[in-house]
Amino acid sequence: MQRFGFTRTSVQRDHSLLTSDSFIRAPFPSDKNGTRVVHINPAIGAGFTMFTLEAQKNASFAAALDGCSSLIFVLEGEFSLKVGKKTHVLKTSSYAFLPLTEDYSLTSKSGGRAVVFEKPYIAVAGTKLPETIIGNSKTLPKTRVMNDSRVLVQMLLPDEIQFDFAVNIMNFEPGSHLSLVETHVMEHGLMMLTGGGIYRLGDAWYPVETGDVIYMAPYCPQWFGALGSTPSSYLIYKDWNRHSLE
Ligand code: UGY
Ligand code: MN
């Protein structure tokens, strides 16, 4: 619902909260029967882009830019990902990591929504390039964050040096919270997947709910507390595994 002149969206120097009432759809060259909502890109100061693909029936989407690797996470519906000769069916909660060398096509017959992170890849001399990964977040192990059994993290990508970004799902029981106000050099792109709560970003506290997107610039102080009677979770990107001068 749009209330005249009101939105929770707030764009600040070191963070942005972007809520669905203010999303604008835009076509991309070569996409068919689908649109994109670009949430985050270098125009906001980020070293990566994050967008939602919205597929109508018989949609097809252009692959990542040359030199970029990407991660596609399906929010709803069904997508078909053709990599080489293999076709993978990606349903809700499925994801795919595509290294920069991979030639692929992404289509959807029945429609759906997927969030994508894309980043220019930084290679490490003497290290092999990452390979394609297909997975489903429902089957990923959950491990405690800071030894708190109510805050659990799932890692979508292996903890290996080839990967220059990480994408995780943070799961919170109602009433649980990050154990500290994190302040770090890595930047974040985040989408609330379930539940909601209060996000501290810089010196502001925001109520957040499912579907909200957040950009956190390097050094943005950040803290989350989960509210309500059901668990909360969010999908979160961060740059990872590289020298901070790169
Ligand atoms: O990995 C992280 O930096 C993560 N715990 N940050 C966050 O949830 N805001
Ligand atoms: Mn963080």
Side-chain angles (χ1 to χ4, degrees), residues 178 182-184 186 188 199 216 220 222 234 236 238:
L178 288 176
E182 294 179 12
T183 309
H184 50 63
M186 296 83 74
H188 282 311
Y199 229 106
M216 292 172 239
C220 174
Q222 54 200 257
Y234 53 74
I236 184 165
K238 65 180 163 190

Side-chain angles (χ1 to χ4, degrees), residues 135-184:
N136 192 312
S137 62
K138 283 187 188 147
T139 58
L140 290 173
K142 295 182 174 175
T143 54
R144 291 178 180 200
V145 177
M146 302 276 186
N147 215 22
D148 186 343
S149 61
R150 299 168 314 148
V151 182
L152 302 173
V153 65
Q154 294 170 284
M155 293 167 54
L156 276 60
L157 297 175
D159 191 10
E160 290 167 10
I161 202 73
Q162 299 98 295
F163 295 90
D164 67 347
F165 65 78
V167 178
N168 299 332
I169 295 177
M170 300 281 296
N171 299 278
F172 297 83
E173 287 302 318
S176 68
H177 51 83
L178 288 176
S179 64
L180 71 163
V181 181
E182 294 179 12
T183 309
H184 50 63

Side-chain angles (χ1 to χ4, degrees), residues 179-224:
S179 64
L180 71 163
V181 181
E182 294 179 12
T183 309
H184 50 63
V185 66
M186 296 83 74
E187 57 181 352
H188 282 311
L190 176 160
M191 179 176 273
M192 287 299 303
L193 296 177
T194 58
I198 298 289
Y199 229 106
R200 177 186 170 157
L201 298 165
D203 293 332
W205 279 257
Y206 300 93
V208 293
E209 61 183 18
T210 304
D212 288 354
V213 170
I214 295 173
Y215 172 62
M216 292 172 239
Y219 298 107
C220 174
Q222 54 200 257
W223 177 89
F224 177 67

